[in-house]
Amino acid sequence: MTTADPKFSLPEDDQIFRLLRQLDVAPEASQRDTAKALSVSLGTLNAHLRAAAEAGLISVSQRQGKDRRQRYAYSLTSKGAALKARLIDRFLARKLAEYDALHAELTGTDCGLVAVKKRNPLMQSNLTPIPELFVSHESAQKLKVEATDLVSWDLTPRQICDLELLMNGGFNPLKGFLTEADYDGVVENMRLADGQLWPMPITLDVSEEFAASLREGQDIALRDQEGVILATMTVTDNWAPDKAREAEKVFGTNDEAHPAVNYLNNTAGKVYLGGPITGIQPPIHYDFRSRRDTPNELRAYFRKLGWRKVVAFQTRNPLHRAHQELTFRAAKEAQANLLIHPVVGMTKPGDVDHFTRVRCYEAVLDQYTQSTTTMSLLNLAMRMAGPREAIWHGLIRKNHGCTHFIVGRDHAGPGQDSKGEDFYGPYDAQELFREYQDEIGVEMVDFKHMVYVQERAQYEPADEIADRDNVTVLNISGTELRRRLAEGLEIPEWFSFPEVVAELRRTKPPRSKQGFTVFFTGFSGSGKSTIANALMVKLMEMGGRPVTLLDGDIVRKNLSSELGFSKEHRDLNIRRIGYVASEITKNGGIAICAPIAPYATTRRAVREEIEQFGAFVEVHVATSIEECERRDRKGLYKLAREGKIKEFTGISDPYDVPANPELRVETEGTDVDNCAHQVILKLESMGLIAGQ
Ligand code: PPS
């Protein structure tokens, strides 16, 4: 059955599509039943099956059992599944064009289903289904079994978000992780190799070792972090990207203060894999299940309610009154229904976590008219790419059935660069969106900054206040809000809703009640452990929060006993300490760490991990190497000089002096109690300890 025979050529697209669909739905059916379902003779079916197998679209396996009419079982290969998805696209586009023409003929007008004036045949109504990359349930069960033989890649949290939207059509027209040609086009001019608009590189970054183990055309299994298979991918492309070019072109900067550049340089793997995806199942979410919708689920909902116009509101922040006013105005302006579409995948590091945010959204949802507003959660991993991200968000919302999209001030802005300047201008995103609006197929509803006018007790766009000199304009920035929350200060009613503020206070208590980490770093023998011990006792005397000391020697005995002092092992050691400290911080405790931690990049990674949950206070114990060697409490420096201990920090291994620690303590000429007290004063000035 699988022997190649060049005389079998592939049938017409329509026939091959029907064949693939039929095999996908009923892979175990007898040839007779399949032929009947397709209304073709057994001979024709056989020829088509041979051609499809020869073209690598299906795989054929022999079945056990007595029934001679059911000797073979068929399943779609990744290539077959990808072709099927492509043919669905074409089929839908053709049907839409036919529908349009018919509508125009019958009514003498253009089809009213789509708000966009100039439609190309690929543009879809917001009510018709869009293609997904999933195979049928039956094929998925088979693929799951077959995939046990495939090499697996364990997806990172960001890749899981990307894959979910690839599979459910949120990233339509993408059919998999970008190939090199698509990637080049996207990076250079926001276009896929076939010319379609797509502004964001959706890439599968992997380690060099993993990439080197693959051959071209190999199928791999993509698994979540628990090992559950979500998809297979045929690896057609495998390349090492020029990350500096990607950062510059996509994010407009190489500054690692930009979260996506930092991710690109310090988290993403060195090699990208590209190729089509065959979707098996979406990632499992245990939280807010009823609030999560795929593009087709939202389209079906809009269809059911007859929502022809839908304006989407993207957000990664809790909803305050200014946001509410903006959404009200947008819906009114576009005469559209409203979709509140918050991102719950990955947002900017340091944002309010999505659990808290969703509770905040739910608390204010009843302020909206139920018959014209809905809320749905989007598992997107944002890149904070400002203007490019706005276009991306627009395309994603179009896929989710929206016709309009709100772009406010500094859309998806990453904040300030390392020189304190904004990465993007406040209205850059609006300008770029406007330029591509027709192609995106979604109309922008743009807003200037909304501010509160006290005399009129309402929010107004800052640029529309004609009597600005005669009224009091109030505003609380995100930074100011965070400060007030951190310090337990008042948040006025005009700014937010009491329910939202209560929710935020519950998860973000004032700093003096939050967990934090004090991270000592310095040479061996610099005095880290001694000061850390003194600090621990002082903090315990104050009470209020549990204190844990993760001293270098203690950790090496209990957590890292198998590790040595190579760069790799030191990194691992520090990351373990960072992980434990982040858990302690998250749970409201105080972690005091005192390892040498010689490498700046590792310290930075630990800082980032901990700052998601609380403050990270880096204390450089700046005792000079000469003084440490003179003290040589453990006799290690002598051994290091004699070459009996290898890779000894400061002697035969490097130490990156911290550039901007929260505190630097000099121990030469200062007693331990005083050093520990300097730390206490620092913690007090940061608001981390207060009068109990
Ligand atoms: S690291 O680099 O942060 O993982 O090191 P750390 O775990 O803090 O090291 C703990 C103690 O190991 C002893 N020791 C060495 N230090 C540096 N280099 C080499 N090669 C080495 N071999 C053993 C040293 O006593 C460290 O303890 P402290 O408390 O810093 O004196």
Side-chain angles (χ1 to χ4, degrees):
M1 191 63 210
T2 47
T3 357
D5 186 342
K7 78 173 189 269
F8 294 103
S9 55
L10 274 178
E12 296 292 301
D13 277 358
D14 273 8
Q15 282 176 315
I16 194 73
F17 170 69
R18 294 183 61 227
L19 175 70
L20 292 177
R21 189 183 53 185
Q22 186 59 31
L23 295 181
D24 194 17
V25 175
E28 310 244 321
S30 70
Q31 282 200 9
R32 189 170 299 281
D33 288 346
T34 306
K36 206 163 143 203
L38 295 171
S39 314
V40 294
S41 69
L42 263 176
T44 310
L45 174 69
N46 237 293
H48 289 178
L49 285 170
R50 285 183 185 221
E54 204 175 294
L57 301 173
I58 57 171
S59 64
V60 186
S61 53
Q62 206 109 29
R63 283 167 53 106
Q64 309 293 335
K66 280 186 255 141
D67 190 347
R68 280 188 40 81
R69 285 165 307 170
Q70 286 194 343
R71 271 181 307 166
Y72 300 109
Y74 306 95
S75 59
L76 266 53
T77 60
S78 302
K79 197 171 163 198
L83 175 65
K84 180 175 154 245
R86 255 198 325 276
L87 291 171
I88 292 179
D89 277 0
R90 258 189 257 160
F91 178 79
L92 280 175
R94 210 173 56 225
K95 282 286 163 220
L96 269 165
E98 279 169 19
Y99 176 81
D100 256 7
L102 183 65
H103 187 274
E105 196 181 313
L106 292 176
T107 61
T109 56
D110 270 349
C111 172
L113 271 184
V114 178
V116 191
K117 285 139 260 158
K118 278 176 273 150
R119 275 185 55 198
N120 69 42
L122 282 174
M123 282 185 177
Q124 307 204 345
S125 149
N126 69 322
L127 304 181
T128 54
I130 57 161
E132 300 183 352
L133 304 183
F134 292 110
V135 289
S136 68
H137 179 70
E138 289 75 12
S139 292
Q141 299 317 311
K142 287 189 75 184
L143 264 180
K144 263 190 208 175
V145 177
E146 284 170 22
T148 44
D149 295 335
L150 298 181
V151 172
S152 288
W153 173 253
D154 294 337
L155 298 156
T156 63
R158 186 164 106 173
Q159 291 168 348
I160 293 178
C161 291
D162 287 352
L163 180 64
E164 176 166 359
L165 288 165
L166 278 170
M167 293 194 294
N168 70 19
F171 285 171
N172 184 48
L174 303 193
K175 297 287 177 262
F177 286 100
L178 293 190
T179 61
E180 191 173 1
D182 282 334
Y183 167 80
D184 281 339
V186 167
V187 169
E188 284 299 325
N189 54 24
M190 305 204 296
R191 292 197 181 276
L192 300 169
D194 66 4
Q196 293 191 80
L197 180 69
W198 190 265
M200 200 55 67
I202 305 299
T203 48
L204 187 72
D205 59 285
V206 299
S207 64
E208 287 168 299
E209 304 79 62
F210 183 74
S213 72
L214 303 175
R215 56 178 164 69
E216 200 189 316
Q218 183 169 342
D219 283 348
I220 58 171
L222 301 181
R223 297 180 183 275
D224 72 8
Q225 299 198 316
E226 273 82 48
V228 176
I229 184 162
L230 304 180
T232 62
M233 170 173 159
T234 307
V235 181
T236 57
D237 292 55
N238 181 336
W239 78 103
D242 176 352
K243 291 194 176 179
R245 175 184 73 139
E246 180 179 333
E248 199 56 65
K249 296 271 179 181
V250 179
F251 307 112
T253 177
N254 257 306
D255 188 335
E256 290 189 1
H258 191 299
V261 177
N262 181 30
Y263 186 94
L264 184 65
N265 290 346
N266 300 313
T267 307
K270 289 211 165 78
V271 181
Y272 290 172
L273 304 180
I277 291 293
T278 303
I280 293 178
Q281 60 184 338
I284 304 154
H285 299 288
Y286 297 106
D287 56 333
F288 308 115
R289 288 178 85 130
S290 62
R291 292 266 184 216
R292 296 174 187 264
D293 304 283
T294 67
N296 279 328
E297 283 166 349
L298 271 185
R299 283 168 175 250
Y301 181 77
F302 298 157
R303 194 162 56 235
K304 186 169 173 187
L305 299 189
W307 285 13
R308 302 255 164 112
K309 281 180 166 191
V310 182
V311 57
F313 179 59
Q314 134 88 33
T315 182
R316 44 170 262 267
N317 287 310
L319 280 184
H320 301 300
R321 290 190 195 273
H323 302 113
Q324 189 195 44
E325 180 61 26
L326 198 126
T327 52
F328 280 165
R329 281 177 182 243
K332 232 191 272 171
E333 209 168 275
Q335 294 188 32
N337 303 282
L338 176 65
L339 170 68
I340 301 172
H341 210 194
V343 170
V344 293
M346 290 168 74
T347 61
K348 193 175 154 192
D351 278 350
V352 176
D353 69 88
H354 81 268
F355 297 103
T356 309
R357 281 191 289 117
V358 177
R359 289 197 298 271
C360 288
Y361 303 137
E362 286 180 334
V364 295
L365 214 53
D366 60 5
Q367 309 255 349
Y368 288 87
T369 316
Q370 280 203 1
S371 59
T372 58
T373 302
T374 192
M375 178 178 81
S376 176
L377 308 179
L378 179 66
N379 195 39
L380 172 71
M382 289 180 71
R383 312 306 207 246
M384 310 308 299
R388 271 200 189 221
E389 181 123 355
I391 295 186
W392 188 38
H393 287 176
L395 290 167
I396 294 168
R397 272 33 185 244
K398 179 180 72 175
N399 289 332
H400 284 79
C402 303
T403 54
H404 293 70
F405 183 57
I406 300 174
V407 184
R409 183 183 177 278
D410 194 24
H411 188 96
Q416 295 181 332
D417 63 17
S418 48
K419 293 198 201 82
E421 281 164 26
D422 288 340
F423 278 104
Y424 311 117
Y427 301 109
D428 287 1
Q430 293 183 357
E431 272 165 37
L432 199 70
F433 199 107
R434 198 167 293 117
E435 209 179 297
Y436 289 91
Q437 177 162 282
D438 282 355
E439 229 179 315
I440 299 170
V442 160
E443 212 167 294
M444 173 168 69
V445 185
D446 55 334
F447 277 104
K448 290 281 181 293
H449 191 34
M450 300 289 282
V451 288
Y452 185 72
V453 181
Q454 195 172 33
E455 284 74 6
R456 289 193 278 276
Q458 67 176 12
Y459 276 88
E460 295 174 18
D463 63 331
E464 286 176 21
I465 307 172
D467 54 351
R468 208 182 167 108
D469 291 343
N470 304 320
V471 290
T472 322
V473 170
L474 299 175
N475 184 34
I476 292 183
S477 68
T479 317
E480 174 61 10
L481 173 67
R482 277 191 290 278
R483 188 187 73 86
R484 290 190 186 201
L485 282 171
E487 291 174 25
L489 300 173
E490 191 224 336
I491 294 164
E493 276 260 359
W494 62 262
F495 178 77
S496 193
F497 308 94
E499 302 87 333
V500 172
V501 175
E503 200 56 65
L504 291 178
R505 285 203 199 282
R506 208 151 63 91
T507 29
K508 268 238 171 277
R511 279 195 134 191
S512 61
K513 296 208 161 50
Q514 283 175 26
F516 64 88
T517 293
V518 181
F519 192 95
F520 288 96
T521 167
F523 291 118
S524 169
S526 58
K528 303 181 298 291
S529 310
T530 327
I531 304 171
N533 264 298
L535 176 68
M536 176 173 73
V537 174
K538 283 175 189 286
L539 289 170
M540 286 168 79
E541 183 188 359
M542 287 177 190
R545 280 167 288 192
V547 190
T548 306
L549 176 60
L550 298 163
D551 183 50
D553 280 333
I554 300 174
V555 169
R556 281 204 173 256
K557 201 190 280 161
N558 298 300
L559 259 186
S560 294
S561 55
E562 85 287 18
L563 300 183
F565 288 87
S566 63
K567 172 155 190 342
E568 203 191 348
H569 278 191
R570 286 179 196 258
D571 273 353
L572 199 53
N573 182 38
I574 301 306
R575 281 179 189 271
R576 285 180 188 171
I577 294 175
Y579 172 71
V580 177
S582 76
E583 286 294 309
I584 292 169
T585 305
K586 180 168 82 184
N587 291 308
I590 300 174
I592 305 175
C593 314
I596 299 176
Y599 309 124
T601 44
T602 328
R603 293 196 299 258
R604 182 183 166 142
V606 169
R607 174 187 286 275
E608 276 164 16
E609 190 174 0
I610 288 169
E611 281 184 343
Q612 298 174 61
F613 308 115
F616 179 84
V617 186
E618 188 175 23
V619 181
H620 177 210
V621 183
T623 317
S624 65
I625 189 75
E626 295 77 23
E627 174 64 12
C628 293
E629 189 167 2
R630 199 185 54 72
R631 293 180 193 165
D632 203 5
R633 293 233 167 79
K634 301 180 189 164
L636 297 176
Y637 282 92
K638 184 166 173 294
L639 294 173
R641 285 285 178 208
E642 291 166 5
K644 291 185 183 142
I645 302 181
K646 303 270 178 277
E647 299 170 313
F648 198 85
T649 308
I651 305 293
S652 44
D653 209 62
Y655 178 80
D656 303 336
V657 174
N660 291 307
E662 273 70 14
L663 180 69
R664 213 183 293 279
V665 288
E666 312 284 345
T667 63
E668 293 160 60
T670 317
D671 66 35
V672 174
D673 187 60
N674 185 286
C675 292
H677 197 69
Q678 286 179 45
V679 183
I680 293 282
L681 289 173
K682 184 74 205 174
L683 297 177
E684 199 171 14
S685 78
M686 292 173 73
L688 293 167
I689 47 181
Q692 307 289 324

